[in-house]
Amino acid sequence: MGANKVEIIESLNLEKLMIALVQLLKVTNFEDVTENNNYITAIEKSSFTEIKHMFVLSTLRLSSISEDDIDDFMKQIKELQENESANVVTIVSQFHISKGARTNIEAKLRHIKFNYLDRDNLIKYIDQYNDSFWRHEDAELLAYEKSFIHQL
C-alpha cells in the first residue's frame, strides 16, 4: 500500500470522504444510496432479503480519542440508529481504527451490530472498485503534468 494513498485518504475532509464512499457503494451491491450530513444509508439486496446499512463517517482519530469524545460519538450513533433502524452500522474513518477502539465502541452500544471501514480497507476497496479515484481531480493540472513530462 503506497504511502501516497495513505496520505490522500488521511487528508480527506468529511465531504470528500463522503464522495469516495458513495462512489464505492454505487459500484458494489448497494442500492438506494442516500447521503445525509455525516452518514449514508444504503440497501444491500439479495434474493431473499434486504439489509439496511448505515455508514457513519468520522474524521476523528478513533484509536486515540478521549473518553468524552467517544461518548459524544456513541450518543450520535445511538440517535442516528434510533431514527434509521439500520440492520448494520458501519463506522467509516480515513484513519486506522484499532482493535481497542472497536472493543470500546462495541461495549458502549452492545445492541448494535458494527462493521468498520478504516483507512486500509478504504484503500483496498478503492483500488478494487474505483481506482480512478486516485487520478487528479484537476484536469488542467493533469494536462500540464503530461506536457511537462513530455518535455523532459
Side-chain angles (χ1 to χ4, degrees), residues 98-109:
S98 68
K99 184 168 175 52
R102 294 171 191 220
T103 301
N104 193 10
I105 289 167
E106 291 165 8
K108 292 183 182 298
L109 293 173

Side-chain angles (χ1 to χ4, degrees), residues 50-118:
E50 289 187 5
I51 300 170
K52 183 174 183 179
H53 291 260
M54 180 171 62
F55 298 86
V56 180
L57 287 73
S58 173
T59 56
L60 299 171
R61 290 184 180 268
L62 296 172
S63 295
S64 59
I65 193 170
S66 73
E67 195 63 31
D68 287 342
D69 287 341
I70 196 78
D71 287 343
D72 290 344
F73 186 58
M74 294 297 92
K75 182 180 176 187
Q76 174 190 9
I77 289 175
K78 184 178 179 185
E79 289 172 5
L80 291 174
Q81 177 60 357
E82 287 172 358
N83 291 334
E84 295 293 342
S85 300
N87 301 97
V88 179
V89 175
T90 300
I91 296 176
V92 182
S93 175
Q94 77 267 40
F95 302 108
H96 173 70
I97 305 174
S98 68
K99 184 168 175 52
R102 294 171 191 220
T103 301
N104 193 10
I105 289 167
E106 291 165 8
K108 292 183 182 298
L109 293 173
R110 294 182 188 271
H111 64 285
I112 297 175
K113 176 174 177 11
F114 285 103
N115 285 333
Y116 302 90
L117 189 55
D118 66 0

